[in-house]
Amino acid sequence: NFKRYKDFFKSTNIAIFPTPFFSENQKIKEKKYIKNKLNILCPGQFRKEKFGTNLDYFLKFNKNNDFILNISEKYQSSNYGKFKLKKFKENLNKKSYLYNLSNTNVIILPYDEQEYKSRTSGVFFEAINYTKIVFVTRNTWVANELKKNDLSELIIKDWRKFDINKILTKLNFTKVNLKLKKMKKKYLNFHSSENFIKLLNKVCDK
């Protein structure tokens, strides 16, 4: 909780370190999408602060839409409508995880606004690495990252009113994809093992 240490941070120089696992995405064999079927992914292990209330709101509001939702086997919901729920094992191996990631149209991260105000997200980095359309909750760290890269159109203000088909119809995919590619390039430069070592050496020299 940064608020507890605000005086400390005001008087101390803080070094921001990259996340040293970011690298060029692996080539994964892609499957053919089901014709006219939106394939949505909620990646990673299930936790309530990640896929809890906001996801329930989203499913309830979109229950008349026809799509496939890929999510952890631990997720339970009574909001099933026209969409198909496809569950994956909680602890996927890397190959299976990346296969799911690369073979999806859209990723949603309906994180809790308070819990993720300052928390980072590994799956968000990976979504950017695969230049995927990724919708996130407003006022979160991931939302701020999108804002910094001119991708505010992917930030959701209210999951209770988020009609995904309507939003995707209005989205300029060409522009969004270009901005995602630029963001990926920036991440590859900063969040790399080489840059992590470089900045660590600078700090240690001090």
Side-chain angles (χ1 to χ4, degrees):
N1 189 338
F2 290 135
K3 290 180 180 178
R4 292 172 57 190
Y5 304 104
K6 61 181 181 179
D7 292 333
F8 170 78
F9 285 117
K10 283 180 180 178
S11 60
T12 306
N13 291 324
I14 304 296
I16 304 299
F17 277 86
T19 304
F21 63 78
F22 204 81
S23 59
E24 281 286 358
N25 53 289
Q26 297 181 18
K27 299 293 183 183
I28 303 294
K29 185 178 180 181
E30 295 191 359
K31 61 186 177 185
K32 292 182 179 180
Y33 295 121
I34 299 174
K35 193 175 181 180
N36 299 323
K37 199 84 165 179
L38 179 62
N39 201 13
I40 302 172
L41 176 65
C42 291
Q45 296 183 340
F46 173 76
R47 291 199 297 271
K48 284 187 177 180
E49 67 268 27
K50 292 178 71 174
F51 306 119
T53 304
N54 283 334
L55 180 57
D56 288 339
Y57 286 149
F58 166 76
L59 295 180
K60 188 174 182 180
F61 193 77
N62 288 273
K63 65 182 179 181
N64 292 321
N65 290 337
D66 191 18
F67 59 85
I68 299 172
L69 179 72
N70 299 269
I71 195 167
S72 165
E73 60 187 352
K74 291 192 176 182
Y75 178 72
Q76 300 294 328
S77 175
S78 58
N79 292 320
Y80 303 148
K82 286 185 178 180
F83 63 87
K84 178 183 177 183
L85 203 61
K86 187 176 180 182
K87 295 189 176 183
F88 51 79
K89 291 183 179 180
E90 184 77 349
N91 295 305
L92 289 175
N93 59 43
K94 187 174 182 180
K95 185 178 180 180
S96 297
Y97 174 76
L98 293 177
Y99 180 82
N100 281 350
L101 190 68
S102 61
N103 286 288
T104 190
N105 308 104
V106 172
I107 292 171
I108 60 172
L109 301 178
Y111 294 167
D112 180 84
E113 188 175 323
Q114 293 303 317
E115 289 288 336
Y116 274 84
K117 204 171 190 69
S118 302
R119 287 169 65 176
T120 61
S121 170
V123 294
F124 176 77
F125 282 104
E126 289 157 348
I128 299 302
N129 197 18
Y130 279 82
T131 57
K132 294 294 181 178
I133 300 293
V134 52
F135 291 107
V136 307
T137 308
R138 67 174 183 176
N139 298 328
T140 55
W141 179 86
V142 288
N144 288 333
E145 288 293 294
L146 289 178
K147 272 185 183 179
K148 287 190 291 185
N149 290 276
D150 193 27
L151 283 161
S152 294
E153 59 265 61
L154 303 182
I155 299 171
I156 307 306
K157 294 179 180 178
D158 190 348
W159 290 95
R160 291 170 292 189
K161 300 176 182 178
F162 173 43
D163 186 329
I164 192 164
N165 282 349
K166 187 176 180 180
I167 295 295
L168 289 174
T169 300
K170 292 181 177 181
L171 207 63
N172 188 322
F173 285 94
T174 302
K175 285 186 177 180
V176 169
N177 194 45
L178 282 173
K179 287 188 279 189
L180 285 170
K181 285 181 178 178
K182 287 181 181 179
M183 186 175 179
K184 173 184 175 176
K185 187 176 180 180
K186 284 169 64 176
Y187 271 15
L188 282 170
N189 289 332
F190 184 74
H191 295 286
S192 63
S193 299
E194 293 79 10
N195 197 42
F196 178 81
I197 294 169
K198 181 181 176 182
L199 291 180
L200 186 61
N201 285 333
K202 281 186 178 180
V203 172
C204 291
D205 286 343
K206 290 180 181 179

